[in-house]
Amino acid sequence: MDLKILSLATDKTTDKLQEFLQTLKTDDLTDLLQSRAVKGRAVGAFLRAIFKGSPCSEEDGALRRFKIYSCCIQLVESGDLQQEVASEIIGLLMLEVHHFPGPLLVELASEFVGAIREDSLANGKSLELLPIILTALATKKEVLTCGKGDLNGEEHKRQLIDSLCSVRWAQRYVIQLTSMFKDVRLTTEEMDLVVAKVLAMFSKLNLQEIPPLVYQLLVLSSKGSRRSVLDGIITFFNELDKQHSKEQSSDELLELVTAPADELYHVEGTIILHIVFAIKLDCELGRELLKHIKAGQQGDPSKCLCPFSIALLLSLTRVQRFEEQVFDLLKTLVIKSFKDLQLLQGSKFLQTLIPQRTCVSSMILEVVKNSVHSWDHVTQGLIEFGFILMDSYGPKKILDGKAVEIGSSLFKMTNQHACKLGANILLETFKIHEMIRQEILEQVLNRVVTRTSSPINHFLDLLSDIVMYAPLILQSCSKVAETFDYLSFLPLPTVQGLLKAIQPLLKVSMSMRDALILVLRKAMFASQLDARKSAVAGFLLLLKNFKVLGSLSSSQCSQSIGVTQVHVDVHSRYNSVANETFCLEIIDSLKRCLGQQADVRLMLYEGFYDVLRRNSRLANSIMQTLFSQLKLFYEPEPDLLPPLKLGACVLTQGSQVFLQEPLDHLLSCIQHCLAWYKSRVIPLQPGDEREEEEEELYHELDDMLESITMRMIKSELEDFELDKSADFSQSTGVGIKNNICACLIMGVCEVLIEYNFSISNFSKSKFEEILSLFMCYKKFSDILNEKAGKGKTKMTTKTNDSLLSMKFVSDLLTALFRDSAQSHEEALSVLRSSSEFMQYAVDVALQKVQQLIRKGHVSGPDGQNPDKIFQNLCDITRVLLWRYTSIPTSVEESGKKEKGKSISLLCLEGLQKTFSAMQQFYQPKMQQFLRALDVIGTEEEGEEAGVTVTQRATFQIRQFQRSLLNLLNSEEEDFNSKEALLLIMILSTLSRLLEPTSPQFVQVLSWTSKICKEHSQEDASFCKSLMNLFFSLHVLYKSPVTLLRDLSQDIHGQLGDIDQDVDIEKTNHYAMVNLRTAAPTVCLLVLSQAEKVLEEVDWLITKIKGSVNQETLSEEMAPEAASSRAVPPNLLIEKAIIMQLGTLVTFFHELVQTALPSGSCVDTLLKDLSKIYSTLTAFVKYYLQVCQSSRGIPNTVEKLVKLSGSHLTPMCYSFISYVQNKRTNNPKCTEKEKAASAGTIMAKVLRETKPIPNLVFAIEQYEKFLIQLSKKSKVNLMQHMKLSTSRDFKIKGNILDMVLREDEDENEEGTAPAHTEQDREPAKKKRKICLS
């Protein structure tokens, strides 16, 4: 039978074939087809023959074809056929589909949908046929009558796709079905349906099945719905990551149940590669991704921003077209995230409305952590982004050798956080990825070497962290050794930072150490001074860090840079004897520096003490060197005055005079080394172990210092050839020399004071010598101050840092103010009798703290050791606090009336500086610091641990509150403005330590409010600082709008109304607002606070606008989710905004009626009025956006518009008239002012009048959008707005004529030159009239 069909098919006509096929039953035909297909015998030819004899033009033929198609589909799905046979059958079926009539195509497609619904497909091979069927169906333009109604082919196709997407897909067919749709022409709605269905299937698949599905989905996205595809993929993996991290944190055993982390991150990595590949082929997909991320920033960023999407963006940077755009976007995201965080932290109002969200920085660091799972395509982007952040947001300016940030505090904080994030990205990437370590290190070193003019501290800190992490890995790195070649050309701070950073490497790499020594030896003989200083810095660092056998342990030395920095014990690799030889060679090299410039010698003297402390075995060699140097300037004759050859310390070359030998620093170095040796080395060495030579050296040094002390006391001004009549001017050589000598003497006196105190053992005679030395110091100090006062400019000598060490200052203050031991009383009474000496001691302490704030370290021993500085700061603060609280300023000043500040006031200034220094440098140690200030040490250890920082800070705050109250309650003439300001600054610093949610914080706020309400002070600076404190506390408790309204009423009452006929009832909410402080002090303060509130409201409006956009998008993607949500999510925020704006309108309502003085208050008020109208306009625009949905306008918005129309707009126009009248009624200009250039006058006029048109424009914009909103909402919002009649920008002819006549009269009276000047004037005057 089958052979007959095949033979008939060869005929030219098909009549016989058709007749024969009609005689056969369909089942026989299908059985025959099945047997041939299973046996694999020429099934293609047989099928072609059947199709030839079954034309679709005849109903029987079409039905036969339909049955054959159904049979073939079952055969292919049965799995009984060979692969080639199945493919051949499907290929033939595809070719014949377009011949089918429409109804049969619908039925055929419906069978497929049914098979998918019932999961009856065995292998899904036949699905290749479905897109051809759907495409063929779509071409049928005629109406097809089927079971589902009369629809054309396209509509049937739409229904079938709808049905297909509504049935459940078996897991094994998801990829095939998705792939199938790429061959079907889909409309936008159909595309959205398909994409939504495929995305919904993600959660039902195994992780390993998702990458191929995503690939098919991306191919499909070329037809449209790109944003939906990307959004779906990002949302899915965002949820998966969150779920995974939650499970990991809750129970580690859950990892056995859920997918392990490795698998998840490998899958994510593969999908990122797929997306980036798709973007390379379809740039529109990349643009949609960037649009999607940008749009998400306006609303809730966490919906589109997550570790997965950030990794995707970083991977996208490998596509050159998008590289710059992606990095710019990432930078914007980081900065915006930090700004939002700062804004939220600084406002309780915002914290209650907006929940705290994950910061972008933590997401990026999460990406770094996840990149260990073969995310090589992400790591390059991470490195580039890390360096971009550090380059863009690192410190930009150097001032006095220190990096300085420019801009507002918010701007600075944001930049610092961004720069720190860049460093963290690079450090963590360095730790995880071995392959790119070399690249990171090279780029860091390149920046260190090439950026000589800009600050590079952030790169040096990163380098230090890198080296600390992996010194053993980096020891073979050639790039570090190459960098040494540039040391001679780098600035000194860079060299010091670089050497300190790579110091652990030098301990583990002999070759690197040798390379450095070679470079340093060359630099020692360089012609540039900085190169020689760099050599000294390098050699001193080596001496500090190469331990010689027998030296004290680093714990005894309490060295800040020690062996502990390297994770392994490396000293076993080198012989300590070899180290000693090496160190002695370096000291020999350094001895050559003693013949060089003063700066080089100074570095040496400042560094020797640290070397000695680290390597006590080098003490003899160092002390011998210093002793030999001192002998060059020491007068050995015991009766010769003065004891030092000061003339030899100063060098004169032609007309230039400069310091040759910093003798005071030399003596200081000797004194500290001697004191350290006596206290640390001698007690640990038995007498028989000490060498006689050493003993003699130390005795001789002691004798020399003793002799210098006695002779310095005996020396008069004339002995130094420096009496009051001497020349101290900076313009002559003699004057400069005398200045240098005077400074040296003062330094020597300070060194001797410290030396004698250290050996005094509270001996009265020694303390008398100390006082005599101080009197000698004071003589020279007074002369220099007196001469500097007479000169036009202050002398540099006043800024010289004291040579007293911070430890000594701490001990001296403790002895002077807190030592109550009976045995010490007699000796201490000598020093206590001199108030000048006590004042000097506090002054030096203050100077040390200022130096710490300015430079980050202090001069003298342990000046670079943070732990030692912290301890000294604690001791100094404790003493100053006790002195100030025990003897208040009022008591002290009533007893003595001396020139300058009292000791108590100096103590208070010192306290203010120490508290701010602590917050700047030791924030983590604040608990320890506050505990150190507690005078009573009776607390138990357990009790002490339970006391919080807030509780301890509150205790200190109360002391200063009492002091301020006493000051405010004193007589008016006794009020010390300087003291009050310092107290406010201290309270402000301490209040930052309080937890804003604690009752202690509320108490401090209430107390500050009470002070502002009950005390009236006319001191503007005090009022400003107190109100600033009040506002800074208030914003952390609640929004300050009601406070602003009350203050504006007080200002209005104090200054009067713009209409002089109106009597104002004075309110007295805050007594601090009085006639003297109301303007400009309080007025400018409240306006700046109002600006901040407006900034917060603007931020909120932007947020809710963005969330509305996000909702609109999600509604388009999932309409059913939108309909299920009844309550608008932004309702709470909208209410809060309306409350804020309403109260601000009443605040401005008061101020615009106030008779403010011309100048900054008026200008600022006009600018802020423009801002509130801009904010109101933005809010109206938001409701225009919202009105597009079914929501109307709340009543509260109507009330707000009514309030602005009745209370603000009319008053604004009155205020404009008031300002303009005030300016035109100004008295006539003086002759001098008339002589000023016309350009300057014009610039001033423009500056003063510019805010007015800006305000008018802002009001009109507001009214314009109100009209639009009224039309859209069908609510007449304009009924409350009155059109202005006070504005008239026409040229008033009569006034113009009058002014021109006046000009002509003036011209006739003027001289000839005046005529030529006036010829150009009328045009400008006309313009001025037009403006008004």
Side-chain angles (χ1 to χ4, degrees), residues 5 84 252 333 340 468 536 789 800 941 1098 1146 1186 1327:
I5 292 170
E84 302 82 35
E252 290 178 9
L333 293 176
D340 289 356
M468 288 270 285
V536 172
N800 279 355
E941 195 66 39
D1098 277 334
T1146 57
V1186 168
R1327 184 176 169 191

Side-chain angles (χ1 to χ4, degrees), residues 490-663:
L490 296 177
L492 181 63
T494 302
V495 173
Q496 288 174 318
L498 177 62
L499 292 176
K500 190 175 176 182
I502 56 117
Q503 174 261 123
L505 272 182
L506 302 175
K507 291 183 172 183
V508 293
S509 172
M510 181 75 87
S511 60
M512 207 163 281
R513 192 181 78 176
D514 293 344
L516 177 62
I517 290 167
L518 274 174
V519 170
L520 293 177
R521 280 185 175 152
K522 285 179 191 171
M524 188 71 86
F525 299 99
S527 56
Q528 301 91 350
L529 177 62
D530 263 9
R532 297 200 297 279
K533 285 165 83 171
S534 298
V536 172
F539 278 136
L540 287 171
L541 185 96
L542 289 170
L543 285 177
K544 284 179 213 171
N545 290 293
F546 285 89
K547 192 132 190 227
V548 178
L549 188 66
S551 293
L552 296 177
S553 69
S554 58
S555 60
Q556 286 171 299
C557 306
S558 64
Q559 175 68 21
S560 62
I561 307 164
V563 200
T564 50
Q565 285 184 323
V566 184
H567 298 309
V568 290
D569 182 15
V570 295
H571 290 303
S572 56
R573 292 185 61 180
Y574 301 122
N575 189 316
S576 287
V577 177
N579 270 355
E580 184 169 11
T581 312
F582 163 71
C583 289
L584 291 172
E585 276 179 29
I586 291 176
I587 290 175
D588 282 342
S589 297
L590 288 173
K591 281 179 185 174
R592 297 192 186 100
C593 298
L594 296 173
Q596 294 190 9
Q597 284 95 331
D599 284 355
V600 181
R601 299 183 195 191
L602 189 62
M603 280 193 70
L604 202 58
Y605 299 151
E606 287 177 348
F608 266 156
Y609 174 77
D610 279 338
V611 171
L612 188 70
R613 219 166 35 119
R614 177 81 187 104
N615 257 328
S616 56
R617 292 292 293 176
L618 299 175
N620 194 31
S621 181
I622 288 171
M623 294 305 283
Q624 195 68 54
T625 305
L626 293 170
F627 178 62
S628 306
Q629 188 71 3
L630 180 59
K631 278 167 79 173
L632 299 174
F633 304 96
Y634 175 69
E635 294 284 6
E637 290 294 324
D639 300 326
L640 200 59
L641 298 178
L644 300 164
K645 300 172 187 173
L646 293 174
C649 299
V650 183
L651 188 66
T652 306
Q653 284 184 346
S655 61
Q656 288 187 315
V657 179
F658 43 84
L659 179 68
Q660 171 75 5
E661 175 62 49
L663 187 57

Side-chain angles (χ1 to χ4, degrees), residues 65-73 93 96-97 100 108:
R65 275 191 180 224
F66 178 75
K67 292 286 186 186
I68 293 295
Y69 262 74
S70 298
C71 173
C72 286
I73 289 167
L93 295 183
E96 297 293 330
V97 164
F100 264 110
L108 202 56

Side-chain angles (χ1 to χ4, degrees), residues 924-1209:
K925 288 187 168 185
M926 201 49 81
Q927 171 79 283
Q928 198 179 329
F929 169 67
L930 292 171
R931 193 164 64 228
L933 298 188
D934 289 346
V935 182
I936 303 159
T938 54
E939 292 179 351
E940 293 293 322
E941 195 66 39
E943 287 176 22
E944 212 170 290
V947 182
T948 62
V949 169
T950 296
Q951 290 166 324
R952 290 189 188 282
T954 308
F955 175 74
Q956 300 301 336
I957 284 170
R958 282 185 190 137
Q959 295 192 71
F960 294 110
Q961 284 176 336
R962 279 195 292 273
S963 301
L964 185 59
L965 267 178
N966 293 337
L967 198 60
L968 289 168
N969 291 329
S970 62
E971 296 296 322
E972 197 170 329
E973 60 271 12
D974 293 335
F975 180 75
N976 188 329
S977 171
K978 174 73 175 168
E979 185 179 0
L981 273 173
L982 288 169
L983 284 166
I984 294 291
M985 287 162 82
I986 289 170
L987 286 170
S988 183
T989 307
L990 288 172
S991 65
R992 289 188 209 118
L993 301 175
L994 302 178
E995 185 59 46
T997 53
S998 64
Q1000 290 93 337
F1001 182 88
V1002 180
Q1003 284 168 6
V1004 173
L1005 174 59
S1006 307
W1007 180 86
T1008 313
S1009 175
K1010 192 179 175 189
I1011 293 288
C1012 293
K1013 282 176 179 175
E1014 296 175 3
H1015 292 84
S1016 178
Q1017 282 293 335
E1018 294 190 345
D1019 188 285
S1021 54
F1022 170 71
C1023 173
K1024 184 179 178 181
S1025 56
L1026 179 65
M1027 294 302 283
N1028 267 326
L1029 170 63
F1030 187 22
F1031 279 121
S1032 67
L1033 294 169
H1034 203 285
V1035 290
L1036 294 174
Y1037 180 63
K1038 64 177 182 180
S1039 177
V1041 281
T1042 49
L1043 170 63
L1044 291 174
R1045 185 188 60 205
D1046 293 346
L1047 285 165
S1048 67
Q1049 288 170 0
D1050 289 350
I1051 293 168
H1052 192 184
Q1054 290 291 339
L1055 298 177
D1057 199 88
I1058 54 175
D1059 185 351
Q1060 293 175 358
D1061 301 332
V1062 177
D1063 288 330
I1064 301 295
E1065 186 186 338
K1066 282 192 178 182
T1067 57
N1068 195 15
H1069 297 111
Y1070 292 93
M1072 198 50 72
V1073 182
N1074 52 51
L1075 203 55
R1076 291 286 293 275
T1077 59
T1081 309
V1082 179
C1083 181
L1084 288 175
L1085 268 174
V1086 292
L1087 285 170
S1088 73
Q1089 285 299 322
E1091 279 179 38
K1092 287 177 186 173
V1093 174
L1094 284 171
E1095 187 187 343
E1096 289 173 7
V1097 171
D1098 277 334
W1099 187 77
L1100 282 174
I1101 293 169
T1102 309
K1103 278 270 174 204
I1104 58 176
K1105 268 186 183 175
S1107 64
V1108 166
N1109 288 336
Q1110 279 185 342
E1111 281 165 35
T1112 311
L1113 276 171
S1114 57
E1115 280 169 23
E1116 286 168 9
M1117 292 176 199
E1120 68 283 348
S1123 58
S1124 64
R1125 189 172 53 241
V1127 182
N1130 294 327
L1131 203 59
L1132 195 67
I1133 297 175
E1134 286 172 24
K1135 282 181 181 175
I1137 290 171
I1138 292 164
M1139 283 295 294
Q1140 295 291 92
L1141 288 174
T1143 318
L1144 279 179
V1145 166
T1146 57
F1147 160 76
F1148 282 113
H1149 166 72
E1150 292 289 340
L1151 285 186
V1152 289
Q1153 295 179 85
T1154 307
L1156 293 170
S1158 296
S1160 56
C1161 289
V1162 171
D1163 292 346
T1164 311
L1165 178 56
L1166 287 169
K1167 284 175 193 166
D1168 288 351
L1169 283 167
S1170 300
K1171 280 181 185 171
I1172 192 170
Y1173 275 108
S1174 301
T1175 306
L1176 284 164
T1177 307
F1179 199 43
V1180 169
K1181 283 180 183 176
Y1182 164 72
Y1183 275 104
L1184 275 169
Q1185 200 176 346
V1186 168
C1187 266
Q1188 289 171 356
S1189 62
S1190 55
R1191 276 182 65 194
I1193 294 177
N1195 291 334
T1196 45
V1197 175
E1198 283 187 62
K1199 286 177 184 174
L1200 176 64
V1201 172
K1202 183 178 179 181
L1203 191 68
S1204 68
S1206 61
H1207 276 59
L1208 193 55
T1209 308

Side-chain angles (χ1 to χ4, degrees), residues 102-103 140-146 149-156:
K140 307 292 181 187
K141 301 297 180 193
E142 71 277 7
V143 174
L144 309 173
T145 306
C146 301
D150 296 340
L151 306 169
N152 64 24
E154 186 64 46
E155 289 164 344
H156 271 296

